Amino acid sequence: MYATQLEVPRVSMTTSNARFYILLTLIYGVVSVLFVLGFNPEPMVAIQGMMASIPNGLAVFLSLTRWSIPVLAVVLVIALRRRLVFGLAEVISVIIFNFAFGMLFISFKATMPFAVSFYADPYFVNLDLFIHRTDPFRPAYEWFSWIPVGVMKFIYTDIWFLPTFFLPVWLMIFDGDSNRVRRYMILHAAVWIVLGSVLALIFMSAGPVYYDVIYGGTRFAELARLLANHGIPDSAIGFTQQLLLESYQSGTLTTTSGISAFPSVHVGMATVVCIYLAERFRFLAIPSAIAVAFYQLLSVQLGWHYAVDGYFSIFFVGGLWYVLKRRTNPKNSQSVAT
């Protein structure tokens, strides 16, 4: 009788969080589709191009994160051998909608230049200069030029992608605290929607690596030289940067589309995952803080972002986490697993 009573809230909480994420994705989906239809000059062609590019996008994903596929397979086998915290059907539904969420984000992001032209980069360049008294990429290369490009790619892309993009899936599989699952689902969505869609659209910026192409001139010629000396253009990171530029210049919508600098989704999502790890496993607090700082460094060193892009994302995620945490009454928290 007692065991039966424990199972009822578990199913209820699971359904609530799964439905919450699905509803959130559907709402974002409606907004994204309307955005593409409203601002892309050839919306149906763009959408068809996105769908047609999925196999190539998966190939690019596998080439960038191939090491992580066996790890993912082992993790999922272990999870399925255990008692799942959430129902298998709900986990599968979240996986499907998580993938859809990613496609919607790319569609929205790739359409942004049709709605608002890049204009904000000079402001962020000046803000970086005001804060650091120099372009931040200079001290980044002066102090950390010893980091091999392979290590940069492994940390910035390989390690980052699976835990950050698929965070809702990990939460559904491994975390039995309903309040915590909901909190990090909100944080995950806030980074992609608020930072990566809304604020990115308001403050349209391309980032240092694209500055001279978008605005003309040689403002970041020194950065281009440093990137070339370090072998970035010939690496997987340089390949990705070139794909994004070609997609922007051709105006096509593919799974490798979407240039945007401020705020940094990359640093923002790294912050979400690291705060989660620090909250769940206290001994990871200091390593997690170091990891966030390292992602901030690499985002500047690789030319993706201005330093202020990452600073803003870190403070936004930290502030939102604090508010959500304060709104959670521990006395009402119902945990189904540790």
Side-chain angles (χ1 to χ4, degrees):
M1 183 67 177
Y2 179 70
T4 304
Q5 290 175 342
L6 286 179
E7 289 298 316
V8 174
R10 181 177 73 85
V11 176
S12 175
M13 289 187 299
T14 302
T15 302
S16 173
N17 281 318
R19 287 180 177 175
F20 170 77
Y21 187 76
I22 292 171
L23 178 61
L24 194 65
T25 304
L26 290 174
I27 294 173
Y28 183 55
V30 171
V31 174
S32 297
V33 170
L34 291 176
F35 185 72
V36 173
L37 292 175
F39 290 100
N40 195 294
E42 297 181 305
M44 299 312 300
V45 174
I47 293 173
Q48 291 172 2
M50 166 66 81
M51 300 304 295
S53 73
I54 288 178
N56 181 65
L58 289 175
V60 172
F61 162 69
L62 291 173
S63 69
L64 294 175
T65 60
R66 57 185 177 274
W67 74 273
S68 59
I69 303 304
V71 175
L72 175 61
V74 170
V75 168
L76 291 178
V77 168
I78 293 173
L80 291 173
R81 288 176 64 88
R82 298 173 51 196
R83 177 181 63 85
L84 282 176
V85 172
F86 290 76
L88 182 59
E90 289 158 328
V91 171
I92 293 174
S93 68
V94 170
I95 291 174
I96 294 172
F97 278 86
N98 195 186
F99 180 79
F101 192 100
M103 294 297 100
L104 292 168
F105 173 76
I106 294 171
S107 301
F108 190 102
K109 189 175 182 180
T111 304
M112 291 194 302
F114 293 109
V116 180
S117 299
F118 290 111
Y119 78 93
D121 291 81
Y123 298 102
F124 297 126
V125 170
N126 291 333
L127 188 55
D128 261 358
L129 290 173
F130 176 78
I131 295 173
H132 306 95
R133 303 302 178 187
T134 186
D135 290 313
F137 71 82
R138 291 192 174 96
Y141 270 98
E142 181 179 351
W143 299 337
F144 298 98
S145 60
W146 50 268
I147 303 176
V149 64
V151 173
M152 291 182 173
K153 181 259 181 185
F154 180 74
I155 294 175
Y156 198 77
T157 303
D158 296 30
I159 292 179
W160 179 89
F161 195 91
L162 284 177
T164 56
F165 187 80
F166 291 105
L167 180 61
V169 178
W170 305 132
L171 293 171
M172 293 290 289
I173 293 176
F174 294 112
D175 199 328
D177 187 315
S178 179
N179 287 324
R180 186 165 57 218
V181 170
R182 179 66 62 89
R183 180 161 63 249
Y184 283 94
M185 280 185 170
I186 293 173
L187 284 170
H188 178 269
V191 170
W192 295 107
I193 297 174
V194 179
L195 294 184
S197 301
V198 177
L199 292 180
L201 180 63
I202 294 173
F203 301 100
M204 277 294 290
S205 54
V209 74
Y210 301 117
Y211 188 100
D212 292 345
V213 176
I214 301 296
Y215 295 90
T218 57
R219 174 62 181 78
F220 283 95
E222 182 182 354
L223 172 63
R225 178 180 61 80
L226 290 170
L227 291 172
N229 290 343
H230 212 62
I232 302 299
D234 298 323
S235 69
I237 293 173
F239 174 68
T240 303
Q241 291 175 338
Q242 185 61 33
L243 281 179
L244 288 169
L245 179 60
E246 291 173 356
S247 178
Y248 164 74
Q249 291 175 328
S250 64
T252 56
L253 181 60
T254 70
T255 52
T256 54
S257 297
I259 293 176
S260 178
F262 181 90
S264 173
V265 169
H266 212 97
V267 175
M269 277 310 310
T271 304
V272 172
V273 172
C274 287
I275 290 178
Y276 175 78
L277 292 175
E279 181 180 338
R280 189 86 188 268
F281 311 102
R282 296 296 178 86
F283 68 93
L284 292 178
I286 293 178
S288 295
I290 294 173
V292 171
F294 200 56
Y295 277 101
Q296 167 68 6
L297 166 70
L298 290 181
S299 74
V300 173
Q301 193 172 6
L302 293 171
W304 288 112
H305 290 284
Y306 309 104
V308 292
D309 300 345
Y311 297 158
F312 182 89
S313 296
I314 292 169
F315 282 111
F316 174 88
V317 171
L320 181 57
W321 171 83
Y322 179 78
V323 171
L324 293 173
K325 182 74 171 175
R326 292 274 294 181
R327 288 174 61 88
T328 301
N329 185 350
K331 295 181 180 180
N332 295 330
S333 177
Q334 300 181 51
S335 178
V336 299
T338 57

